[in-house]
């Protein structure tokens, strides 16, 4: 009798262990993987404003790759997700225009780098930009960034700290998953 009772208790304990293990596998492991991905591999961002129209629209959801700049430097034209230099509690998304050590000058809405007579070819702009700015020399290990909707973008031209330090870049925007699925360029 005693033996049968012990076997029954062991069976119940094993059943509860199996249930606990399955719950762990179904709940805890996915949560840990999601946390790892969001802290180490990706940034999940929702676009709050129209400063990057028509490339990215308000409400679009974007995935940024955190490790993109581990082995290479940001390049002109990259769309980056970064901590806003004037208030690091905010996260912004803009396009890299000026690289470290370059001089950026904007004349009648056209961007010139290092005194070039030829403006940047910016096919991604929403409309013909207006205004002038600079010249401005981008500090070492920093980037000058602007929105694609230049006439309605709060970007490097208007900030107190007119550049984004490389260490404040969170990710390179690479993929849009809502409301449509596509690569971000």
């Amino acid at each position: 009798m005693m033996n049968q009772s012990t076997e029954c208790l062991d069976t119940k304990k094993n059943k509860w262990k199996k249930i606990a293990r399955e719950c762990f596998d179904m709940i805890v492991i996915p949560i840990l993987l999601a946390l790892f991905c969001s802290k180490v591999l990706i940034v999940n961002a929702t676009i709050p404003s129209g400063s990057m129209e028509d490339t990215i629209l308000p409400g679009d959801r974007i995935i940024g790759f955190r490790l993109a700049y581990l082995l290479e430097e940001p390049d002109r034209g990259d769309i980056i997700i970064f901590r806003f230099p004037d208030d690091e509690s905010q996260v912004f998304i803009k396009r890299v225009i000026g690289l470290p050590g370059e001089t950026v000058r904007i004349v009648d809405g056209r961007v010139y780098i290092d005194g070039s007579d030829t403006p940047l070819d910016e096919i991604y702009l929403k409309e013909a930009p207006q205004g002038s700015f600079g010249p401005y020399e981008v500090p070492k290990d920093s980037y000058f960034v602007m929105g694609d909707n230049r006439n309605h973008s709060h970007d490097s031209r208007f900030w107190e700290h007119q550049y984004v330090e490389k260490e404040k870049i969170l990710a390179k925007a690479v993929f849009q998953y809502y409301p449509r699925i596509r690569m971000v360029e």
Side-chain angles (χ1 to χ4, degrees), residues 44-61:
N44 183 10
T46 301
I47 307 307
S49 74
S51 72
M52 287 298 292
E53 288 179 355
D54 285 332
T55 306
I56 305 169
L57 304 175
D60 285 358
R61 296 198 181 140

Side-chain angles (χ1 to χ4, degrees), residues 49-113:
S49 74
S51 72
M52 287 298 292
E53 288 179 355
D54 285 332
T55 306
I56 305 169
L57 304 175
D60 285 358
R61 296 198 181 140
I62 304 293
I63 296 291
F65 184 49
R66 287 186 185 270
L67 304 178
Y69 300 123
L70 192 61
L71 299 176
E72 63 183 50
E73 298 298 316
D75 201 11
R76 187 179 342 278
D78 287 357
I79 297 174
I80 60 171
I81 301 167
F82 57 93
R83 297 215 174 274
F84 176 43
D86 294 343
D87 178 1
E88 291 188 12
S89 70
Q90 296 183 51
V91 175
F92 276 30
I93 184 166
K94 303 283 183 207
R95 189 178 296 274
V96 173
I97 300 300
L99 304 175
E102 290 183 337
T103 300
V104 177
R105 189 167 155 244
I106 302 169
V107 178
D108 296 326
R110 289 188 225 114
V111 178
Y112 297 87
I113 303 295

